[in-house]
Amino acid sequence: MATHILLNTGAKMPVLGLGTWKSPPGKVTEAVKAAIDVGYRHIDCAYVYQNENEVGEGIQQKIKEGLVKREDLFIASKLWCTFHEKSMVKQACQQTLSDLKLDYLDLYLIHWPMGFKAGSDLFPLDDRGLAVPDNTCFLDTWEGMEELVDAGMVKAIGVSNFNHEQIETLLKKPGLKYQPANNQVECHPYLTQEKLLDYCRSKGISVTAYSPLGSPDRPWAKPEDPSLLEDPKIKAIAKKHKKTAAQVLLRFQIQRGIIAIPKSITPQRIEENFKVFDFDLDGEDIKNILSFNRNWRGCPMHWGVEHKDYPFNIEY
């Protein structure tokens, strides 16, 4: 089973990475170290997670120990919505590089297609609790991203939470210099994303699944929300393969050619999530899991619903 996906840049991206959203600063350094120890070579970060400094500590300690070299690692990060002005993209990326203590990123994504009002507030909201937009267009932001490639700060650029129409708009941009290498979106058995996956594939764009375990620790979870890890149908498939529900959920993505980035700060779970290369789900399992789709989003970004570039108003 392939452990990497070839990007349209020719670079290899590991199909399994450590997610770091909601990993508290006091614990994420140890999580990164534990992940590298058990074999992870892909770490997924973002400025808005506000823990890149500590992620960088973990990476640096493992490089200093001689366990890995920088070029063995695949480090991804994301441009936050308040830095969508073309002139602000470089400084945002420089801040991330400085926090991570790196001189380049393997992949840098536009975190959301929506630009928010610039300033120190990462979530500028109006009195109705909705995001305050800036007047940018992601096509201009993309030009700022392309400049990072030319400056050697990033090896590849991509998008996150873009729908297929937004990607199409980007691909048709006059003077496009670099195509997006990746689209990172929420994806799991309750949101299987088959149409978006097919679209991205047809354009040579790889797909990364965030919240592949359903993001049970998302801050806005409600008691009545469905729980993937507790789903009896997933548990039954796990029992059949003598694996855990989490391992089945990750294997499901990897077998579909999707990169998965489960988040954990527990060494035992970090290790367990990596043990997904020694079994195969059969065609029946995959078909079965795909049938669980209910187009349910754990991360609907409700405060962006009135933004001109809100991505979830169309089917995919």
Side-chain angles (χ1 to χ4, degrees):
M1 180 70 204
T3 54
H4 293 76
I5 279 186
L6 204 59
L7 299 182
N8 57 21
T9 58
K12 285 180 172 177
M13 182 170 182
V15 293
L16 194 69
L18 179 74
T20 58
W21 177 41
K22 307 175 300 315
S23 297
K27 302 207 166 141
V28 74
T29 300
E30 291 308 313
V32 167
K33 286 160 63 179
I36 292 172
D37 281 343
V38 300
Y40 288 74
R41 294 296 177 260
H42 169 190
I43 315 282
D44 180 81
C45 321
Y47 178 82
V48 76
Y49 304 162
Q50 303 200 297
N51 58 8
E52 288 192 319
N53 203 16
E54 290 81 7
V55 170
E57 291 287 340
I59 294 169
Q60 282 311 311
Q61 286 184 37
K62 288 294 148 189
I63 291 174
K64 278 202 186 85
E65 280 175 25
L67 184 66
V68 286
K69 300 189 184 78
R70 167 64 185 98
E71 57 269 28
D72 300 331
L73 299 172
F74 189 100
I75 312 296
S77 186
K78 308 177 200 84
L79 176 81
W80 184 241
C81 307
T82 51
F83 301 100
H84 275 216
E85 287 280 352
K86 182 180 168 183
S87 61
M88 297 176 77
V89 173
K90 189 173 256 186
Q91 73 184 68
C93 185
Q94 276 165 338
Q95 184 60 57
T96 277
L97 285 171
S98 163
D99 288 345
L100 289 170
K101 293 162 269 296
L102 300 174
D103 48 18
Y104 70 90
L105 292 169
D106 294 278
L107 180 65
Y108 196 48
L109 309 174
I110 299 181
H111 206 147
W112 289 86
M114 307 174 282
F116 296 167
K117 185 179 141 226
S120 56
D121 188 354
L122 297 180
F123 293 92
L125 303 177
D126 63 18
D127 48 15
R128 297 173 306 152
L130 294 174
V132 180
D134 58 12
N135 57 2
T136 60
C137 166
F138 58 77
L139 293 178
D140 296 325
T141 311
W142 189 254
E143 290 182 5
M145 298 286 281
E146 290 177 325
E147 288 174 4
L148 303 176
V149 180
D150 289 335
M153 294 165 68
V154 306
K155 302 271 191 201
I157 48 178
V159 294
S160 180
N161 299 297
F162 275 50
N163 64 41
H164 87 283
E165 288 180 0
Q166 291 168 328
I167 296 173
E168 190 71 19
T169 301
L170 180 53
L171 292 174
K172 287 183 171 160
K173 175 188 177 295
L176 183 75
K177 194 167 183 184
Y178 301 113
Q179 289 207 352
N182 180 263
N183 184 20
Q184 183 179 129
V185 293
E186 180 178 350
C187 188
H188 43 69
Y190 297 157
L191 183 69
T192 50
Q193 297 277 25
E194 284 149 282
K195 286 187 176 174
L196 185 59
L197 176 61
D198 287 345
Y199 171 80
C200 289
R201 277 218 178 102
S202 75
K203 302 294 181 186
I205 298 168
S206 63
V207 174
T208 298
Y210 73 72
S211 304
L213 309 179
S215 193
D217 59 345
R218 63 193 180 285
W220 48 81
K222 299 185 196 75
E224 67 273 17
D225 282 349
S227 166
L228 268 169
L229 290 169
E230 297 304 320
D231 189 315
K233 293 179 291 192
I234 300 277
K235 284 179 152 177
I237 295 170
K239 192 174 174 191
K240 170 178 143 184
H241 291 280
K242 299 187 173 58
K243 287 287 183 178
T244 65
Q247 287 166 333
V248 165
L249 294 172
L250 297 172
R251 184 73 204 172
F252 166 66
Q253 301 294 6
I254 291 169
Q255 278 187 226
R256 301 165 77 208
I258 295 177
I259 299 141
I261 47 168
K263 168 258 168 184
S264 180
I265 50 168
T266 315
Q268 178 205 339
R269 284 210 192 113
I270 289 170
E271 184 168 3
E272 176 193 301
N273 290 345
F274 199 71
K275 291 183 173 167
V276 290
F277 298 103
D278 58 354
F279 76 109
D280 273 303
L281 298 172
D282 56 46
E284 199 56 37
D285 295 328
I286 299 279
K287 203 171 123 191
N288 200 354
I289 297 171
L290 285 171
S291 76
F292 305 162
N293 182 52
R294 45 176 99 176
N295 294 323
W296 175 83
R297 285 183 191 279
C299 303
M301 189 68 149
H302 283 315
W303 49 88
V305 287
E306 288 187 14
H307 195 289
K308 69 178 170 61
D309 295 317
Y310 182 71
F312 306 142
N313 287 330
I314 63 169
E315 187 195 353
Y316 71 100

